[in-house]
Amino acid sequence: MVVKCEVGGAVVEKEVVTESPGETYEYQAEVSRLMDLIVHSLYSHKEVFLRELVSNAKPSILGDAGELEIRVKTDPDNGTITITDSGIGMTKEELIDCLGTIAQSGTSKFLKALKENKEAGADNSLIGQFGVGFYSAFLVAQKVEVSTKSPKSDKQYVWESVADSSSYVIREETNPDKLLRRGTQITLFLRDDDKYEFSEATRILNLVKNYSQFVSFPIYVWQEKSRTIEVEEEEEPKESEEQPEGEKKKTKKTKTEKYWELANETKPIWMRNPKEVEKDQYNEFYKKAFNEFLDPLSYTHFTTEGEVEFRSILYIPGMAPLNNEDVVNPKTKNIRLYVKRVFISEDFDGELFPRYLSFVRGVVDSDDLPLNVSREILQESRIVRIMKKRLVRKAFDMIQDLSESENKEDYKKFWENFGKFIKLGCIEDSGNEDNTTSEIFLFQE
């Protein structure tokens, strides 16, 4: 559209890009129920929204390739977060199918799980466990805009919805400045209560590093950092000022640096060949991942193949936990579970390790589990039962290797620190059918 406006006393014509009104669609009933719950009932751990959206944004591999990446940019002035991927995008029909409709079974299970957890307080970590991860955006956003370009279509479409609405709008993107070559761009217009926290670039960078540091594609986060520097003054000094010949007066100025920072530059150590990893690298990873300052007493790095495949690194800490309640606490936070390099959880209730081995620390990465793995799946999955059995066996092997090593001091430290855990195992796992614990329980100082 061309409009006339006055500039400097002269009337000029200017082209203004206007957005098409688009078409309005009603959400499927199940989605409306879900949206209402997310907006009005779930408050804790809002940060999981970023994990879910980055997981959804992982670009699919394209035949024409090009660089596949994800970029996350915050705008504190406007209170927005924008996540852009260079993947395959979506057509108009796919937008309707993917964002306006959801499998009833997934939502029903989500509602059931939420109801069961109500007494303990609503826990939105359930989001993403039932295929409803995209809607976690509304935990922090009043409005969500999805702009996407698929190679199947010559048009780019924009999907829009606000938090308390029962409908959404799809329109064609006509602004040439906003056109994508391909892929999807999600913009979150943050709620007033969440603008300060989640429009802060460093906060977003840390969340990406925590949840998505090891995904397969590079993730860049926009950073703006200010620093004070000394610069030479360009003006000549006044006659009254004495200044050594050849020197210029300096003053301090604030300089803002703007750049894209790669948030996942480290290849997961557990994905590397153990023959290529040095002991110091294992120790460094252990200290960083588990916030420790002492080297571990022992570690094991292995890949399990066959009917169940996963990669893992396990450690025996160099000191006992400071809180003795860890011995009787059924929940452990010592094992970090990844699925396809995406961090899922470290809060377990015996699913991966028995209570008496809760002192063992490590990471487990499985390609066999779904990204939306839930506590229910962990408890009932045959895959998890096999994983647990093999992880326990590897833990026993580490302890046995310590007992047979030439350095008797290491095993003495182990028994002083964790002997009470093993004694607990004598009671809790005495009926282990393959007697894998018996050889450990016989160890003496």
Side-chain angles (χ1 to χ4, degrees):
M1 179 174 67
V2 177
V3 298
K4 294 182 179 181
C5 57
E6 185 175 336
V7 179
V11 177
V12 297
E13 292 185 345
K14 183 177 180 181
E15 184 175 354
V16 178
V17 178
T18 59
E19 295 180 348
S20 60
E23 299 175 75
T24 300
Y25 299 83
E26 292 295 318
Y27 278 122
Q28 180 195 38
E30 292 291 325
V31 178
S32 294
R33 293 178 63 200
L34 176 65
M35 290 274 287
D36 184 66
L37 274 170
I38 290 174
V39 173
H40 297 106
S41 303
L42 303 179
Y43 302 103
S44 63
H45 300 98
K46 288 184 176 183
E47 64 190 40
V48 299
F49 82 91
L50 191 60
R51 179 192 70 186
E52 297 302 322
L53 294 180
V54 168
S55 295
N56 286 346
K58 288 197 303 182
S60 298
I61 296 176
L62 298 175
D64 60 352
E67 186 170 352
L68 303 174
E69 62 184 20
I70 301 168
R71 293 184 180 267
V72 185
K73 186 174 184 179
T74 59
D75 184 347
D77 293 335
N78 294 308
T80 63
I81 302 174
T82 301
I83 303 170
T84 307
D85 73 59
S86 57
I88 60 174
M90 289 177 278
T91 63
K92 181 179 180 181
E93 292 73 22
E94 288 169 338
L95 275 175
I96 296 172
D97 290 341
C98 295
L99 304 186
T101 307
I102 192 168
Q104 183 173 349
S105 59
T107 308
S108 299
K109 288 180 180 179
F110 174 81
L111 298 174
K112 180 181 178 182
L114 185 62
K115 183 178 180 180
E116 292 174 352
N117 283 271
K118 191 173 182 180
E119 293 183 1
D123 180 7
N124 61 34
S125 65
L126 294 170
I127 288 178
Q129 296 176 2
F130 302 98
V132 297
F134 167 77
Y135 303 98
S136 65
F138 290 99
L139 287 168
V140 297
Q142 177 60 34
K143 174 185 173 183
V144 176
E145 180 180 288
V146 179
S147 186
T148 185
K149 172 69 170 64
S150 169
K152 300 176 185 177
S153 172
D154 58 356
K155 296 181 179 180
Q156 179 171 321
Y157 291 97
V158 179
W159 179 101
E160 292 181 353
S161 185
V162 296
D164 285 305
S165 176
S166 61
S167 63
Y168 58 94
V169 172
I170 295 180
R171 59 179 172 81
E172 182 182 343
E173 181 60 81
T174 56
N175 188 337
D177 296 332
K178 295 183 178 182
L179 293 180
L180 305 170
R181 187 170 71 88
R182 71 170 188 229
T184 299
Q185 184 173 85
I186 301 176
T187 302
L188 310 186
F189 297 82
L190 298 171
R191 301 172 185 275
D192 290 340
D193 294 343
D194 297 307
K195 282 183 181 179
Y196 178 78
E197 178 179 4
F198 294 115
S199 65
E200 206 279 308
T202 302
R203 169 70 164 144
I204 295 301
L205 178 66
N206 290 336
L207 287 178
V208 171
K209 287 184 174 181
N210 182 56
Y211 287 108
S212 308
Q213 184 179 8
F214 303 116
V215 300
S216 303
F217 299 96
I219 304 174
Y220 296 92
V221 180
W222 182 253
Q223 296 291 292
E224 296 185 12
K225 296 183 179 180
S226 299
R227 61 188 179 95
T228 301
I229 59 174
E230 285 190 344
V231 296
E232 294 180 347
E233 287 189 348
E234 296 182 359
E235 295 182 1
E236 294 294 330
K238 296 179 181 179
E239 294 181 0
S240 59
E241 293 181 349
E242 294 184 4
Q243 188 169 338
E245 187 176 349
E247 292 186 14
K248 290 185 178 181
K249 188 176 180 181
K250 293 185 177 181
T251 185
K252 291 184 178 180
K253 290 186 177 181
T254 299
K255 181 180 179 181
T256 301
E257 297 178 328
K258 301 180 180 182
Y259 57 95
W260 287 104
E261 181 168 342
L262 183 61
N264 59 335
E265 58 187 342
T266 304
K267 182 179 180 180
I269 190 172
W270 62 85
M271 296 296 295
R272 298 168 60 183
N273 187 331
K275 296 179 181 179
E276 300 174 354
V277 185
E278 301 293 334
K279 180 178 180 179
D280 289 346
Q281 293 175 302
Y282 284 117
N283 291 347
E284 181 183 357
F285 174 77
Y286 167 76
K287 292 176 181 178
K288 184 177 180 180
F290 301 102
N291 196 26
E292 291 285 345
F293 60 92
L294 291 180
D295 289 340
L297 289 176
S298 182
Y299 63 84
T300 180
H301 179 185
F302 60 95
T303 298
T304 298
E305 298 178 342
E307 56 182 336
V308 173
E309 298 184 5
F310 65 92
R311 296 172 182 265
S312 179
I313 302 178
L314 301 179
Y315 295 91
I316 294 178
M319 63 179 293
L322 298 176
N323 188 348
N324 288 330
E325 292 181 0
D326 286 344
V327 181
V328 295
N329 186 354
K331 291 191 175 183
T332 64
K333 291 183 178 292
N334 290 349
I335 302 296
R336 295 175 63 88
L337 175 65
Y338 291 81
V339 174
K340 300 178 178 67
R341 270 62 69 202
V342 175
F343 174 61
I344 301 300
S345 178
E346 59 182 359
D347 185 9
F348 298 106
D349 192 4
E351 291 89 357
L352 292 178
F353 265 97
R355 180 169 63 157
Y356 65 89
L357 289 178
S358 62
F359 62 88
V360 176
R361 298 193 170 189
V363 295
V364 178
D365 189 351
S366 169
D367 283 349
D368 293 328
L369 292 171
L371 273 173
N372 59 347
V373 61
S374 65
R375 174 60 51 78
E376 181 183 22
I377 291 175
L378 288 174
Q379 292 173 341
E380 299 178 358
S381 171
R382 173 179 168 274
I383 293 175
V384 174
R385 289 196 297 271
I386 296 175
M387 288 174 61
K388 179 177 180 179
K389 185 176 181 179
R390 294 182 181 176
L391 289 168
V392 169
R393 178 69 261 177
K394 287 293 184 178
F396 291 157
D397 289 345
M398 274 198 299
I399 298 173
Q400 186 166 2
D401 289 345
L402 272 178
S403 72
E404 296 174 352
S405 68
E406 295 180 0
N407 187 350
K408 300 301 179 183
E409 284 300 312
D410 281 350
Y411 184 71
K412 184 178 180 181
K413 288 180 184 177
F414 165 78
W415 192 258
E416 289 174 350
N417 290 333
F418 307 112
K420 54 192 173 183
F421 288 81
I422 301 303
K423 293 175 182 178
L424 176 65
C426 291
I427 299 171
E428 294 192 342
D429 203 17
S430 58
N432 191 305
E433 61 182 11
D434 59 4
N435 295 316
T436 51
T437 58
S438 61
E439 56 195 77
I440 303 300
F441 300 151
L442 294 175
F443 293 161
Q444 302 295 324
E445 292 186 52

